[in-house]
């Protein structure tokens, strides 16, 4: 392992399992290289749809508690020791999918005051002092209210932390280049008859798909493919894995990407295509 004690990466996600799907290989790689990897999850996913019939009785707070245990197991697979819930476990509840009555719950994350929620994240930023933060774009990747709110809270926290004298050098959004997604779904269609999944999702079902030119950064996590798959399997209420594919509760197969892609939205880009989220940052040793 190459020791890199000055590298500090903060990821901000909406629910347990989002981190493993979007960034599992990246997290495993940087943790193995000695960086401090910190995950903040904004809700416990209390309104998630449960896949295994034997766990179908789990709802609400009981499901949230179970998903926190799944998250703990997933972080063990990725080698990440620092993972937290925004404002403490259960502070903000899952809001459910956009347009349902659950969005109006005053305790749900969608209804949270952005500055108040961001203040909780600023506490983490001031402690960890990350050079790099990763989160979603303004649509939350695919329009889920908790993902959109996570974007708002994360970027507001970056602003508030800067006002307090803690600058984050680089901010990235999770991305998937469209050409890669098209190729991967082409392989999936050919492989589908031999898989335990009946139907395929579509390219635009994948959060964060954008035209290739918007992608600034590629993190090769192929050496950590097994760790990412294991972390995703740990979220068994939400994900079924059959490498190199997986399904969510909609039972539509998707590719499991082990090279992960990002768009730099704040900070200086280091070269035409970055292969390191920390490229160009100063490492505090």
């Amino acid at each position: 392992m190459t020791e890199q004690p000055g590298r500090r990466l903060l990821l901000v996600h909406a629910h347990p399992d989002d981190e493993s799907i979007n960034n599992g290989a990246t997290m495993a790689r940087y943790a193995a290289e000695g960086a401090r990897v910190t995950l903040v999850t904004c809700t416990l996913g209390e309104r998630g749809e449960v896949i295994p019939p034997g766990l179908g009785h789990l709802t609400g707070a009981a499901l949230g508690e179970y998903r926190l245990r799944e998250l703990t197991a997933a972080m063990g697979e990725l080698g990440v020791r620092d993972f937290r819930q925004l404002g403490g476990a259960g502070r903000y509840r899952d809001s459910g999918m956009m347009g349902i009555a659950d969005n109006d719950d005053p305790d749900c994350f969608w209804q949270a005051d952005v500055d108040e929620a961001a203040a909780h994240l600023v506490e983490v930023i001031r402690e960890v002092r990350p050079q790099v933060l990763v989160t979603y774009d303004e649509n939350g990747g695919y329009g889920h209210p908790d993902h959109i709110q996570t974007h708002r809270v994360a970027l507001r926290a970056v602003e508030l932390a800067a006002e307090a004298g803690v600058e984050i050098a680089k901010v990235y959004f999770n991305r998937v280049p469209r050409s890669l997604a098209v190729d991967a779904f082409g392989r999936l269609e050919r492989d589908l008859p031999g898989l335990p999944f009946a139907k395929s999702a579509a390219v635009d079902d994948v959060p964060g798909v954008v035209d290739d030119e918007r992608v600034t950064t590629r993190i090769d996590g192929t050496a950590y493919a097994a760790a990412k798959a294991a972390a995703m399997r740990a979220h068994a209420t939400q994900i079924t894995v059959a490498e190199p594919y997986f399904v969510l509760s909609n039972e539509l197969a998707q590719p499991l990407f082990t090279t992960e892609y990002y768009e730099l939205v704040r900070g200086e880009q280091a070269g035409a295509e970055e292969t390191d989220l920390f490229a160009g940052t100063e490492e505090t040793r």
Side-chain angles (χ1 to χ4, degrees):
M1 180 179 75
T2 302
E3 187 70 4
Q4 296 175 316
R7 294 185 163 203
R8 299 179 299 279
L9 170 62
L10 174 62
L11 303 102
V12 187
H13 276 288
H15 315 103
D17 81 350
D18 293 323
E19 80 300 322
S20 296
I21 296 170
N22 287 278
N23 312 113
T26 299
M27 294 171 73
R29 172 180 161 176
Y30 281 114
E33 291 177 352
R36 177 172 180 174
V37 178
T38 299
L39 169 68
V40 173
T41 305
C42 296
T43 82
L44 293 177
E46 297 92 338
R47 294 190 168 105
E49 296 180 359
V50 176
I51 294 174
L55 297 175
H57 63 283
L58 293 171
T59 60
L63 177 57
E65 291 171 4
Y66 194 92
R67 292 187 70 178
L68 180 55
R69 294 198 293 273
E70 291 182 330
L71 179 63
T72 301
M75 292 304 94
E77 298 291 354
L78 299 180
V80 173
R81 293 187 292 272
D82 185 6
F83 55 99
R84 315 171 184 208
Q85 288 68 57
L86 184 68
R91 174 65 180 81
Y92 298 107
R93 294 182 184 172
D94 187 343
S95 308
M97 297 299 288
M98 187 66 82
I100 66 173
D102 291 334
N103 299 166
D104 298 324
D105 181 346
D107 292 327
C108 79
F109 191 46
W110 183 239
Q111 295 295 330
D113 179 84
V114 170
D115 276 11
E116 177 186 290
H120 294 303
L121 187 57
V122 170
E123 293 177 9
V124 179
I125 292 170
R126 294 183 70 173
E127 175 193 339
V128 174
R129 294 182 175 259
Q131 296 102 338
V132 177
L133 182 146
V134 171
T135 192
Y136 317 112
D137 65 14
E138 63 279 359
N139 190 45
Y142 72 109
H144 191 294
D146 287 336
H147 287 241
I148 294 170
Q149 188 78 321
T150 296
H151 161 87
R152 294 171 177 169
V153 168
L155 267 61
R156 181 60 176 147
V158 170
E159 295 174 350
L160 293 174
E163 292 173 7
V166 183
E167 293 276 355
I168 298 178
K170 302 176 85 173
V171 176
Y172 291 93
F173 293 160
N174 292 299
R175 291 302 190 199
V176 177
R178 186 169 297 278
S179 66
L180 175 84
V182 169
D183 289 346
F185 273 94
R187 290 191 298 273
L188 170 56
E189 288 291 346
R190 294 192 294 272
D191 293 345
L192 196 59
L195 296 175
F197 311 131
K199 296 181 180 180
S200 170
V203 167
D204 288 331
D205 292 329
V206 176
V209 172
V210 293
D211 292 340
D212 292 25
E213 57 267 23
R214 291 187 60 179
V215 174
T216 61
T217 311
R218 172 178 55 85
I219 302 299
D220 184 354
T222 52
Y224 303 95
K228 175 169 181 171
M232 289 174 64
R233 283 193 179 94
H235 291 290
T237 61
Q238 307 300 304
I239 308 172
T240 303
V241 177
E243 295 175 73
Y245 305 108
F246 72 98
V247 297
L248 301 173
S249 60
N250 60 12
E251 299 183 348
L252 299 177
Q254 299 185 41
L256 192 163
F257 296 112
T258 55
T259 295
E260 295 168 344
Y261 297 83
Y262 302 89
E263 179 184 2
L264 180 67
V265 295
R266 178 186 174 109
E268 296 287 333
Q269 184 171 339
E273 183 188 50
E274 297 180 334
T275 56
D276 178 7
L277 295 175
F278 293 93
T281 67
E282 293 184 6
E283 294 178 27
T284 305
R285 297 190 179 279

